Amino acid sequence: MIECSVCHSKIEPPASKSISRAYDKHRTFVSSKTRFLNVILVGGDCLLVGFQPILVYMSKVDGGFKYSPISVNFLIEVAKVFFAVVMLLFQSRHKKVGEKSLLSVSALVQAARNNVLLAVPALLYAINNYLKFIMQLYFNPATVKMLSNLKVLVIAILLKMIMKRKFSILQWEALALLLIGISINQLRSLPEGASSFGLPVATGAYLYTLIFVTVPSLASVFNEYALKSQFESSIYHQNLFLYGYGAMFNFLAILGIAIFKGPSSLDILQGHSKATMLLICNNAAQGILSSFFFKYADTILKKYSSTIATIFTGIASAVLFGHTLTINFVLGISVVIISMHQFFSSYSKVKDEQRSGNFKMVESIDSQRSRDASFPNMTDVSENANHHVNEEKGPLLPV
């Protein structure tokens, strides 16, 4: 409602541009509790995302993988489904009197109907999780993290197109700085003379990079939309179906490989080690944390927190594996940090459109009132003249 500062009357504001309810709903007020949750999410994400490339690198043997990456992805999804079921059991035991159990048949059926859209990001995540392993064959862990930051720009474009999110000029400039920082770090990052699937390494690497950036970006935006559009649903219900779909897609991929390579590929534990077990636990925890990012925070914050993890990944890979921290990496990560500070600075944020519209509307009402007071319209003049004439003639009807 808009209130006039003169007469204090209230009117409905004009209809603003259509903005996705899935993004704007529940974000009108950011409490201290929400800010604290964001800090916890970013801290946990930095730790888990920072370790992920290290664990993948540790799991390689002679430059390759002795295990099937798809089997790892399947076990990760199973672990996340198990976590969701445990949390639903915990919530069911502590439900209030009269509340329906979250594990009842009717509740599960209703949740399944409401969260069908989660099958889309689940399929995209299944593809992306396999690409993560492929990327490790071309780049060292620190460079993989820097390349993954390209997703921020793609996600920003998708958020603007699909969810109608607005970014200021300074924020777009911050994203441009992010790309510059990544480009600086990419210089001379490919090993010379290597090849993949018969393609020159540059062609293969850039092709995988394009897919590696686009697929998870689409998955993140669709995931955020699906989770927020059913905000009243339990996040553990949503995780149950999201990870259930993911486990199903990865299992179908395992069956497809078994058809071409034989029944021996059905042994999903073949070639695993302690490093792969740690990798499964790490990625499962990372996926669970991401669902809280998408539902209670947003995708941009998630990707920038992954950017912070680049520093940890670079230092850890240098200490553990002897990778050199080049001047390109130092300069690149410095530009990325500046970009992140500029993007989230209070000076670069888009001003609230509705508040701006309210001020303009109040200003318009005030000016209209002033004009009406100075120049009354002809209808009011005519009514006043008739009233004075009637008073002179006396009442027309008996009292």
Side-chain angles (χ1 to χ4, degrees), residues 118-358:
L118 288 172
V120 176
L123 175 60
L124 294 173
Y125 280 134
I127 299 172
N128 176 63
N129 289 335
Y130 178 73
L131 292 175
K132 287 181 180 179
F133 292 93
I134 297 297
M135 292 295 291
Q136 293 291 335
L137 298 177
Y138 296 101
F139 304 100
N140 60 50
T143 305
V144 169
K145 286 312 307 162
M146 289 297 293
L147 285 174
S148 67
N149 293 330
L150 283 166
K151 301 172 190 174
V152 177
L153 179 60
V154 180
I155 286 172
I157 295 173
L158 291 174
L159 285 174
K160 184 175 178 62
M161 294 173 57
I162 298 174
M163 304 184 74
K164 309 302 180 183
R165 181 169 177 183
K166 299 187 185 309
F167 298 99
S168 67
I169 296 177
L170 287 176
Q171 287 177 320
W172 284 114
E173 291 175 350
L175 295 176
L177 281 177
L178 178 62
L179 290 179
I180 293 173
I182 295 170
S183 300
I184 292 173
N185 182 69
Q186 272 189 272
L187 297 177
R188 300 179 63 85
S189 61
L190 290 173
E192 298 181 0
S195 62
S196 169
F197 298 96
L199 296 174
V201 68
T203 305
Y206 288 129
L207 177 62
Y208 282 128
T209 299
L210 178 63
I211 302 174
F212 179 67
V213 169
T214 305
V215 171
S217 300
L218 285 168
S220 298
V221 173
F222 276 113
N223 195 10
E224 181 179 347
Y225 181 86
L227 290 174
K228 282 191 169 78
S229 62
Q230 299 294 327
F231 197 87
E232 303 304 326
S233 297
S234 169
I235 189 171
Y236 302 114
H237 262 159
Q238 294 175 312
N239 284 347
L240 176 64
F241 292 104
L242 175 63
Y243 306 144
Y245 289 135
M248 179 183 67
F249 290 134
N250 282 284
F251 183 71
L252 291 176
I254 292 174
L255 291 179
I257 292 175
I259 294 174
F260 291 99
K261 293 187 176 181
S264 60
S265 59
L266 290 175
D267 184 7
I268 59 177
L269 298 178
Q270 182 180 3
H272 287 278
S273 62
K274 293 181 179 179
T276 59
M277 292 298 106
L278 290 174
L279 178 64
I280 290 170
C281 294
N282 178 278
N283 284 14
Q286 188 183 146
I288 294 168
L289 195 66
S290 296
S291 65
F292 285 88
F293 260 106
F294 296 138
K295 183 156 185 173
Y296 300 109
D298 60 63
T299 311
I300 293 290
L301 179 62
K302 169 68 176 69
K303 294 308 174 185
Y304 261 111
S305 72
S306 300
T307 306
I308 301 174
T310 306
I311 303 173
F312 173 82
T313 304
I315 296 173
S317 62
V319 173
L320 296 175
F321 312 120
H323 293 154
T324 304
L325 291 179
T326 63
I327 187 63
N328 289 346
F329 175 79
V330 176
L331 292 176
I333 198 62
S334 300
V335 175
V336 167
I337 293 175
I338 294 172
S339 164
M340 182 174 58
H341 177 268
Q342 178 176 335
F343 188 90
F344 289 104
S345 172
S346 58
Y347 296 102
S348 63
K349 292 182 179 178
V350 177
K351 302 301 180 183
D352 184 43
E353 183 182 6
Q354 185 174 356
R355 288 182 58 190
S356 176
N358 289 351

